[in-house]
Every structure is written in structure tokens, then in C-alpha cells.
Amino acid sequence: MPDADPAAIRGDLTENVDAAQALTENVDAAQALTEIVGAAHTLTEPDVVGGYAVDWTGRWRGAPLAVVRPADTGQVAAVVTACAAAGVPVVPQGGNTGLVGGAVPVDGSVPLSLRRLDSRGPVDAATRTAAFGAGVPLAEAQRHVAADGWEIGVDLAARDTATIGGLVATNAGGERVIRHGLTRGQVAGIEAVLADGSVVRRMTGLLKDNVGYDLGQLLIGSEGTLGVVTAVRLRVVPAAARRAVALVGCGSVAGAVDVLAGLRPRLDAGPGELVAAEMFVDDGLALVREHTGLGAPLPDPHPAYLLVETTGGPDDALPEALAEALEATEGVRDAVVADEPARRAALWEYRERHTEAVAADGTRRGAPPVKLDVSLPPASLGPVVDDVRGVLSSAYPDAVLYLWGHLAEGNLHLNVLGVDPADERAATDLVLRTVAAAGGSIGAEHGIGRAKVPWVGLSRSPAELAAMRAVKSALDPARLLNPGVLFD
Ligand SMILES: Cc1cc2nc3c(=O)[nH]c(=O)nc-3n(C[C@H](O)[C@H](O)[C@H](O)COP(=O)(O)OP(=O)(O)OC[C@H]3O[C@@H](n4cnc5c(N)ncnc54)[C@H](O)[C@@H]3O)c2cc1C
């Protein structure tokens, strides 16, 4: 992406001071925003605004003043400046695939849709980075770099809609963390608009650039509460020439943890690299099959399933190596290995379609699932799953728990259905306290959003929370950027 001239950005801001003034003087707010982004991109009609006002789960919704769709960083800065002048809250929104209500407008706020920031820069082979506008969907960024033989170290099932800005704002994890780390590890530069409308920009891609506080890193995972990410320079890695996927039947969740522990050193010793290790269980698989019509992956059902993917060079004997490693690993009850793209994709579907299958089940039951994304030391996963099932079923006999996750990181997605809406908060409390008591974190990769604000104290000390509030107060003293997210 070409570097924007900061003076030009300031120029845009100056030009839009009138718009800010208009908001301040309580002239029609939508009119003021229209002057910045144009009438076609200031949305107020309820049926158009609706899609921006409710989250992917259907659990969170708000009544925005107007949805604003800026075209570039200058317009983002102008909108933020205008809203700051008028005291109107701004809610950054990317693909709106977040699962914790973080991108949903509070009443009277301006959801700032970043999707029109869709620039894509060339891959710089020297720094192995490429710059993207914040609104580029992950899948498009993946296709863009794949054309030159590269891939991005983050991948997740919401790839067609989740944006690069959203991934950065949530520090998304996904299916490649075991190999490349979280989104934070893929970020080589950020441009963002702060709460006062100023633009901070560090997009050079310099690999060593330590001059004081790293504002870009501070913005990663800040969920739109400290600034609006407008562009990101992402690291890229050489695309794998070959891939092999195995779906493994295991005796239990703890059994899947043991299988992965046994498998990993064997795979490390062979060709290729382990890039994914995912887990799901029998009732979740049954729900996915019912929802999708997919056939059974293995001849017999198993209590738990491990899905692993390895990648390697063109001549690597990946499927053979994977099959041999599985044969030598204790606890493997059955396995199927695929290297042909369609078969690999078919195996991944069993894992990736859990989220939509559970959402559909929620719709059928008349209430969306309570979605809790937690992490635990891998060795505790089995016992904690048993404990969570126990506490839930004794308090709520009709509760149904679907779970799956990213096994190597001990990251579980716990989805609770069948609890009366009046009891959802208490059920959440039970589950999150069980996780925290076992040394886990209440927020693994989806963020805190609005959904988990009451429980942040389970995973952060008073001193940590005070420091976080001080950062928030310093960068957004009027608390206009995504109010209600992270902090109450
Ligand atoms: C089917 C499915 C599978 C998923 N799988 C995973 C997974 O494996 N791993 C994972 O981590 N997540 C996963 N998610 C959750 C979601 O896709 C991620 O949180 C993703 O990073 C959100 O991106 P988005 O563009 O949709 O952001 P949004 O939902 O629009 O926003 C999410 C948060 O980021 C803020 N934000 C968005 N854009 C910006 C910006 N440009 N500047 C500042 N703040 C911004 C919002 O205010 C909000 O707080 C999944 C979701 C679905 C529906």
C-alpha cells in the first residue's frame, strides 16, 4: 500500500473541521457525517443499518445514530474528530464476525465500518511483509499473497468476512497458532486513528525499530478501545507446497491431548511441520453432520477427535509420514489421512462448521448459545471439561454443552445451550470460575468485548486492570471509542 502523506491526512482533517463544528452545534449529525463520507456511505435507513447493528451470534444489538463507511484514513480521522467534538461514541467495525459483542453499536453511537479500506500492497520479499487496508477480508489477503507464492500466518473459519483490522483488534488466534503464533506475531506495522482524530503510522516494515513504547503492539488486542486501525503491514511466509491432514479418533478429550503430545515429537523428527492441531467431540460432530449432511469421517464413532495438518516441500512424503507417526502413537483409536485438496477440505469441514452448526441449533431452540472462549494448560483440559459438564448439569439439568477448540494452545470454545436466558449470566459465571480456578484464562482469542466485561477480574489483577484503565484514560479520556468494551 502506498504510504499516505501525513500532511495530506492533516489537511483532510482541517477540511473537515466544519463537519466537526456542525456536530457540535447539534446540526443534524447524519448531515455532518455525510459531508465527510458522502450520502451513499452515511447509512440511517433501519433496514440497511440493521446488518451493522446486530452481531454474528444475534445476541448483541444496538440502535446506532448512523453507520458511517469511510473510504480512507483521512475520512476515518475526520469522522472520529467530528464525533469527538460532538461527544458521540464511535464503534469500529470490520467484518462483524466477532463473537463477544465488541463491534455492535451502543445506542446513539456511530458504527464506523472499515470495510471500504480495502487497499492491498505488493509483497516486499526483502522484509517478507505486505500492507493491507484494515477492511480487507482475510481470505482476500490470503489470495493476494498466494499469487506470489506466500501465505499469511493466521487462518480461521471466518476468513471470508473477518477483516485484517478486526484480526488485529482482537489479536485473533485461529488454526495456525501452533506454527506461527497469534495475529500479534504477524504484525510488522500499523496505521491507526486515535480518539482525538490524530493519525499514528509505523508502516515501514523495519524489522528492528525500537524507539520507546510500541504503540502498534498496544493497539493489537485492544478491541477498538484505544484507536481505529486503518492499515496493517503483515508478515508473510513461503507457501507450503504440500499438505496432509489427519482426522484421529481418540478415547476422550484428555486422550486427544495425550495423542497430540505423543505425535508431536514423531512429526518433528520427520519431514514437514505441524501447523494445526484441532479438537472436537462426539456430540458436536453429530450436530455438524445433522446440520451439514456430511457423512461419517471414520467407520466408528469416537468420544473425541483430533485433527492435525502438516505442511512441507514438494517432495516431502507427508501423508506417509503422518500415517506412520499415527501408527506409532499410543491412544490413536482410528485415523484417516488425506493429502488431496478436496479430501483435506472435507476433513476440515468437520471442525470448521461447528460454529455455524451450534448457531443453527440456538436458532432452533429460540436462544443463541452462550459462547465462552477460554484457555487452559493442556494437561487440565480433560479434567476441566468434566468439571464444567458437572457444574453445569447440576445447576441447569437441561443445559447442553458443545465444545471444540485449538488443542495445542489449550483453547476451548465452550458453547452452552438450553439455559433459560434469565440464567445465562449465572451459567457463564459458573463456567468461567471453574476455568479460572484451574489456572485458565477467561479470554483466549475472541476478546472480552461486551460479553465478558464482568469477569475480567478473574484473569487480571487489580494492578493490571488499573494500568489498563490508565492507558485507556490517557488515549481516550472522554471514553468515546467503543464504550462498554473491556471496561464497564
Ligand atoms: C465461524 C467463525 C469462526 C471463527 N473462528 C475464530 C478463530 O478460530 N479464532 C479467532 O480468534 N476468532 C475466530 N472467530 C471470531 C472472529 O472472526 C475474530 O474475532 C475476528 O478477528 C473478527 O474480525 P472482524 O473483522 O469480523 O471484526 P469485528 O467483529 O467487526 O470486530 C471485532 C472487534 O474488533 C474491533 N475492530 C474491528 N475492526 C477494527 C479496526 N479496524 N480498528 C479497531 N478496532 C476494530 C471491533 O470494535 C470489535 O471490538 C470466528 C468467528 C466466526 C463467525
Side-chain angles (χ1 to χ4, degrees):
M1 191 175 84
D3 277 10
D5 174 6
I9 291 169
R10 276 196 297 277
D12 286 350
L13 292 179
T14 317
E15 278 164 32
N16 282 292
V17 164
D18 285 348
Q21 192 66 29
L23 269 174
T24 314
E25 288 168 2
N26 287 327
V27 177
D28 181 11
Q31 176 60 32
L33 297 169
T34 302
E35 285 178 25
I36 301 170
V37 298
H41 299 292
T42 309
L43 315 176
T44 51
E45 291 297 319
D47 52 338
V48 184
V49 164
Y52 299 84
V54 59
D55 79 326
W56 192 91
T57 66
R59 174 172 292 276
W60 304 91
R61 60 185 72 234
L65 189 66
V67 175
V68 176
R69 295 169 31 92
D72 56 32
T73 304
Q75 289 190 358
V76 173
V79 170
V80 171
T81 304
C83 289
V88 172
V90 172
V91 177
Q93 189 180 96
N96 201 12
T97 66
L99 300 172
V100 288
V104 172
V106 287
D107 290 353
S109 68
V110 166
L112 190 63
S113 171
L114 282 311
R115 290 183 226 173
R116 290 177 70 215
L117 276 64
D118 59 358
S119 60
R120 297 129 223 236
V123 172
D124 174 0
T127 57
R128 295 189 167 198
T129 62
F132 294 95
V136 176
L138 173 61
E140 284 185 25
Q142 289 170 330
R143 281 192 287 274
H144 178 72
V145 302
D148 292 325
W150 302 92
E151 56 188 64
I152 292 170
V154 181
D155 195 18
L156 41 79
R159 60 182 75 78
D160 288 327
T161 315
T163 61
I164 299 299
L167 297 179
V168 168
T170 57
N171 189 22
E175 300 158 358
R176 299 278 180 261
V177 175
I178 190 173
R179 173 68 185 89
H180 299 294
L182 297 158
T183 297
R184 184 182 298 285
Q186 326 308 318
V187 176
I190 285 191
E191 177 191 82
V193 173
L194 301 183
D196 63 357
S198 59
V199 178
V200 289
R201 182 161 224 279
R202 194 121 312 279
M203 290 285 284
T204 57
L206 285 178
L207 291 177
K208 291 187 176 175
D209 184 13
N210 289 296
V211 186
Y213 304 137
D214 191 330
L215 293 178
Q217 285 290 323
L218 186 59
L219 291 170
I220 299 170
S222 67
E223 300 185 52
T225 62
L226 299 181
V228 182
V229 177
T230 48
V232 180
R233 183 169 281 282
L234 279 182
R235 296 184 208 293
V236 295
V237 294
R242 288 201 76 180
R243 293 177 189 278
V245 175
L247 187 62
V248 186
C250 305
S252 61
V253 171
V257 174
D258 291 343
V259 167
L260 180 61
L263 192 60
R264 232 171 145 170
R266 293 191 169 88
L267 294 176
D268 288 345
E273 282 178 303
L274 183 64
V275 295
E278 302 285 309
M279 189 269 299
F280 50 88
V281 299
D282 47 4
D283 51 4
L285 174 64
L287 187 72
V288 167
R289 289 188 53 207
E290 187 190 322
H291 173 69
T292 59
L294 292 170
L298 294 168
D300 296 314
H302 301 278
Y305 295 84
L306 169 68
L307 183 146
V308 290
E309 178 169 316
T310 59
T311 61
D315 303 325
D316 287 340
L318 289 184
E320 298 80 356
L322 193 47
E324 272 170 32
L326 284 165
E327 255 165 47
T329 301
E330 220 170 290
V332 173
R333 292 166 55 135
D334 197 1
V336 54
V337 176
D339 68 336
E340 190 264 319
R343 278 296 296 144
R344 285 193 332 244
L347 292 182
W348 266 108
E349 273 198 77
Y350 292 111
R351 161 64 184 87
E352 287 200 334
R353 299 193 69 179
H354 269 70
T355 312
E356 68 181 73
V358 166
D361 198 33
T363 306
R364 200 163 49 216
R365 292 168 185 264
V370 178
K371 300 186 77 67
L372 301 169
D373 156 56
V374 303
S375 67
L376 286 147
S380 318
L381 282 181
V384 170
V385 166
D386 292 343
D387 288 351
V388 167
R389 283 196 194 285
V391 292
L392 270 179
S393 63
S394 24
Y396 310 104
D398 295 333
V400 178
L401 176 69
Y402 289 109
L403 62 96
W404 62 92
H406 311 288
L407 195 65
E409 299 91 57
N411 182 182
L412 282 183
H413 298 324
L414 302 165
N415 290 252
V416 185
L417 285 158
V419 171
D420 189 295
D423 292 327
E424 284 176 4
R425 189 179 166 120
T428 300
D429 195 69
L430 268 184
V431 174
L432 294 185
R433 283 185 192 283
T434 306
V435 167
S441 171
I442 63 142
E445 61 172 10
H446 292 167
I448 297 300
R450 296 174 209 290
K452 289 194 197 154
V453 170
W455 293 279
V456 288
L458 288 177
S459 286
R460 289 297 178 268
S461 68
E464 287 170 311
L465 289 172
M468 281 162 56
R469 282 180 194 280
V471 172
K472 171 73 175 170
S473 297
L475 289 181
D476 180 18
R479 296 179 171 270
L480 291 178
L481 275 185
N482 226 355
V485 165
L486 279 183
F487 307 104
D488 49 22

